[in-house]
PDB file of all heavy atoms in Angstrom:
ATOM      1  N   VAL A 177      -6.387  -5.770  29.974  1.00 97.00           N
ATOM      2  CA  VAL A 177      -6.872  -4.382  30.009  1.00 97.00           C
ATOM      3  C   VAL A 177      -6.666  -3.664  28.670  1.00 97.00           C
ATOM      4  O   VAL A 177      -7.610  -3.057  28.140  1.00 97.00           O
ATOM      5  CB  VAL A 177      -6.227  -3.613  31.185  1.00 97.00           C
ATOM      6  CG1 VAL A 177      -6.539  -2.125  31.106  1.00 97.00           C
ATOM      7  CG2 VAL A 177      -6.713  -4.201  32.517  1.00 97.00           C
ATOM      8  N   PRO A 178      -5.468  -3.701  28.056  1.00 98.00           N
ATOM      9  CA  PRO A 178      -5.317  -2.987  26.768  1.00 98.00           C
ATOM     10  C   PRO A 178      -6.236  -3.542  25.682  1.00 98.00           C
ATOM     11  O   PRO A 178      -6.745  -2.787  24.847  1.00 98.00           O
ATOM     12  CB  PRO A 178      -3.845  -3.224  26.399  1.00 98.00           C
ATOM     13  CG  PRO A 178      -3.178  -3.628  27.668  1.00 98.00           C
ATOM     14  CD  PRO A 178      -4.210  -4.317  28.511  1.00 98.00           C
ATOM     15  N   GLU A 179      -6.468  -4.857  25.710  1.00 96.00           N
ATOM     16  CA  GLU A 179      -7.356  -5.461  24.708  1.00 96.00           C
ATOM     17  C   GLU A 179      -8.807  -5.027  24.921  1.00 96.00           C
ATOM     18  O   GLU A 179      -9.548  -4.795  23.962  1.00 96.00           O
ATOM     19  CB  GLU A 179      -7.266  -6.987  24.790  1.00 96.00           C
ATOM     20  CG  GLU A 179      -5.907  -7.525  24.379  1.00 96.00           C
ATOM     21  CD  GLU A 179      -5.752  -9.011  24.661  1.00 96.00           C
ATOM     22  OE1 GLU A 179      -6.223  -9.499  25.713  1.00 96.00           O
ATOM     23  OE2 GLU A 179      -5.141  -9.691  23.819  1.00 96.00           O
ATOM     24  N   MET A 180      -9.221  -4.927  26.195  1.00 97.00           N
ATOM     25  CA  MET A 180     -10.587  -4.470  26.486  1.00 97.00           C
ATOM     26  C   MET A 180     -10.799  -3.049  25.995  1.00 97.00           C
ATOM     27  O   MET A 180     -11.826  -2.727  25.388  1.00 97.00           O
ATOM     28  CB  MET A 180     -10.844  -4.519  28.002  1.00 97.00           C
ATOM     29  CG  MET A 180     -11.309  -5.855  28.508  1.00 97.00           C
ATOM     30  SD  MET A 180     -11.695  -5.752  30.270  1.00 97.00           S
ATOM     31  CE  MET A 180     -10.134  -6.262  30.942  1.00 97.00           C
ATOM     32  N   ILE A 181      -9.832  -2.175  26.276  1.00 98.00           N
ATOM     33  CA  ILE A 181      -9.945  -0.771  25.846  1.00 98.00           C
ATOM     34  C   ILE A 181     -10.029  -0.702  24.325  1.00 98.00           C
ATOM     35  O   ILE A 181     -10.893  -0.010  23.759  1.00 98.00           O
ATOM     36  CB  ILE A 181      -8.745   0.046  26.376  1.00 98.00           C
ATOM     37  CG1 ILE A 181      -8.820   0.150  27.903  1.00 98.00           C
ATOM     38  CG2 ILE A 181      -8.693   1.431  25.732  1.00 98.00           C
ATOM     39  CD1 ILE A 181      -7.553   0.692  28.551  1.00 98.00           C
ATOM     40  N   SER A 182      -9.151  -1.431  23.661  1.00 98.00           N
ATOM     41  CA  SER A 182      -9.127  -1.413  22.197  1.00 98.00           C
ATOM     42  C   SER A 182     -10.447  -1.937  21.630  1.00 98.00           C
ATOM     43  O   SER A 182     -11.048  -1.322  20.728  1.00 98.00           O
ATOM     44  CB  SER A 182      -7.947  -2.263  21.703  1.00 98.00           C
ATOM     45  OG  SER A 182      -7.951  -2.339  20.298  1.00 98.00           O
ATOM     46  N   TYR A 183     -10.920  -3.055  22.181  1.00 97.00           N
ATOM     47  CA  TYR A 183     -12.162  -3.670  21.696  1.00 97.00           C
ATOM     48  C   TYR A 183     -13.342  -2.707  21.888  1.00 97.00           C
ATOM     49  O   TYR A 183     -14.139  -2.480  20.966  1.00 97.00           O
ATOM     50  CB  TYR A 183     -12.399  -4.982  22.444  1.00 97.00           C
ATOM     51  CG  TYR A 183     -13.538  -5.799  21.911  1.00 97.00           C
ATOM     52  CD1 TYR A 183     -13.335  -6.790  20.954  1.00 97.00           C
ATOM     53  CD2 TYR A 183     -14.845  -5.587  22.366  1.00 97.00           C
ATOM     54  CE1 TYR A 183     -14.382  -7.545  20.464  1.00 97.00           C
ATOM     55  CE2 TYR A 183     -15.903  -6.338  21.871  1.00 97.00           C
ATOM     56  CZ  TYR A 183     -15.667  -7.318  20.934  1.00 97.00           C
ATOM     57  OH  TYR A 183     -16.713  -8.063  20.451  1.00 97.00           O
ATOM     58  N   LEU A 184     -13.467  -2.145  23.099  1.00 98.00           N
ATOM     59  CA  LEU A 184     -14.573  -1.217  23.371  1.00 98.00           C
ATOM     60  C   LEU A 184     -14.533  -0.027  22.419  1.00 98.00           C
ATOM     61  O   LEU A 184     -15.577   0.447  21.955  1.00 98.00           O
ATOM     62  CB  LEU A 184     -14.498  -0.714  24.822  1.00 98.00           C
ATOM     63  CG  LEU A 184     -15.103  -1.608  25.891  1.00 98.00           C
ATOM     64  CD1 LEU A 184     -14.694  -1.107  27.277  1.00 98.00           C
ATOM     65  CD2 LEU A 184     -16.632  -1.652  25.781  1.00 98.00           C
ATOM     66  N   SER A 185     -13.323   0.438  22.108  1.00 98.00           N
ATOM     67  CA  SER A 185     -13.194   1.645  21.276  1.00 98.00           C
ATOM     68  C   SER A 185     -13.561   1.379  19.823  1.00 98.00           C
ATOM     69  O   SER A 185     -13.705   2.315  19.030  1.00 98.00           O
ATOM     70  CB  SER A 185     -11.779   2.214  21.358  1.00 98.00           C
ATOM     71  OG  SER A 185     -10.871   1.449  20.573  1.00 98.00           O
ATOM     72  N   ASP A 186     -13.701   0.104  19.448  1.00 97.00           N
ATOM     73  CA  ASP A 186     -14.200  -0.216  18.111  1.00 97.00           C
ATOM     74  C   ASP A 186     -15.724  -0.101  18.046  1.00 97.00           C
ATOM     75  O   ASP A 186     -16.297  -0.055  16.949  1.00 97.00           O
ATOM     76  CB  ASP A 186     -13.796  -1.638  17.703  1.00 97.00           C
ATOM     77  CG  ASP A 186     -12.309  -1.754  17.416  1.00 97.00           C
ATOM     78  OD1 ASP A 186     -11.656  -0.707  17.196  1.00 97.00           O
ATOM     79  OD2 ASP A 186     -11.785  -2.879  17.418  1.00 97.00           O
ATOM     80  N   TYR A 187     -16.370  -0.103  19.214  1.00 97.00           N
ATOM     81  CA  TYR A 187     -17.841  -0.071  19.258  1.00 97.00           C
ATOM     82  C   TYR A 187     -18.397   1.226  19.829  1.00 97.00           C
ATOM     83  O   TYR A 187     -19.545   1.579  19.587  1.00 97.00           O
ATOM     84  CB  TYR A 187     -18.369  -1.246  20.098  1.00 97.00           C
ATOM     85  CG  TYR A 187     -18.155  -2.569  19.413  1.00 97.00           C
ATOM     86  CD1 TYR A 187     -16.941  -3.247  19.552  1.00 97.00           C
ATOM     87  CD2 TYR A 187     -19.140  -3.123  18.616  1.00 97.00           C
ATOM     88  CE1 TYR A 187     -16.733  -4.457  18.909  1.00 97.00           C
ATOM     89  CE2 TYR A 187     -18.940  -4.327  17.969  1.00 97.00           C
ATOM     90  CZ  TYR A 187     -17.731  -4.990  18.117  1.00 97.00           C
ATOM     91  OH  TYR A 187     -17.527  -6.178  17.478  1.00 97.00           O
ATOM     92  N   PHE A 188     -17.591   1.888  20.676  1.00 98.00           N
ATOM     93  CA  PHE A 188     -18.028   3.116  21.348  1.00 98.00           C
ATOM     94  C   PHE A 188     -16.901   4.137  21.248  1.00 98.00           C
ATOM     95  O   PHE A 188     -15.745   3.763  21.099  1.00 98.00           O
ATOM     96  CB  PHE A 188     -18.303   2.857  22.844  1.00 98.00           C
ATOM     97  CG  PHE A 188     -19.313   1.790  23.109  1.00 98.00           C
ATOM     98  CD1 PHE A 188     -18.909   0.493  23.439  1.00 98.00           C
ATOM     99  CD2 PHE A 188     -20.674   2.064  23.042  1.00 98.00           C
ATOM    100  CE1 PHE A 188     -19.848  -0.498  23.681  1.00 98.00           C
ATOM    101  CE2 PHE A 188     -21.610   1.069  23.293  1.00 98.00           C
ATOM    102  CZ  PHE A 188     -21.198  -0.207  23.607  1.00 98.00           C
ATOM    103  N   GLU A 189     -17.264   5.407  21.369  1.00 98.00           N
ATOM    104  CA  GLU A 189     -16.225   6.421  21.516  1.00 98.00           C
ATOM    105  C   GLU A 189     -15.918   6.544  23.000  1.00 98.00           C
ATOM    106  O   GLU A 189     -16.770   6.957  23.797  1.00 98.00           O
ATOM    107  CB  GLU A 189     -16.693   7.763  20.951  1.00 98.00           C
ATOM    108  CG  GLU A 189     -15.608   8.819  21.071  1.00 98.00           C
ATOM    109  CD  GLU A 189     -15.870  10.045  20.213  1.00 98.00           C
ATOM    110  OE1 GLU A 189     -16.854  10.058  19.449  1.00 98.00           O
ATOM    111  OE2 GLU A 189     -15.066  11.001  20.324  1.00 98.00           O
ATOM    112  N   LEU A 190     -14.727   6.162  23.387  1.00 98.00           N
ATOM    113  CA  LEU A 190     -14.324   6.242  24.785  1.00 98.00           C
ATOM    114  C   LEU A 190     -13.845   7.660  25.092  1.00 98.00           C
ATOM    115  O   LEU A 190     -13.459   8.410  24.195  1.00 98.00           O
ATOM    116  CB  LEU A 190     -13.206   5.232  25.078  1.00 98.00           C
ATOM    117  CG  LEU A 190     -13.568   3.761  24.842  1.00 98.00           C
ATOM    118  CD1 LEU A 190     -12.365   2.864  25.141  1.00 98.00           C
ATOM    119  CD2 LEU A 190     -14.771   3.342  25.687  1.00 98.00           C
TER     120      LEU A 190
END
Side-chain angles (χ1 to χ4, degrees):
V177 171
E179 293 171 321
M180 274 184 267
I181 293 169
S182 176
Y183 188 93
L184 277 169
S185 77
D186 289 342
Y187 290 86
F188 303 99
E189 181 165 356
L190 299 179

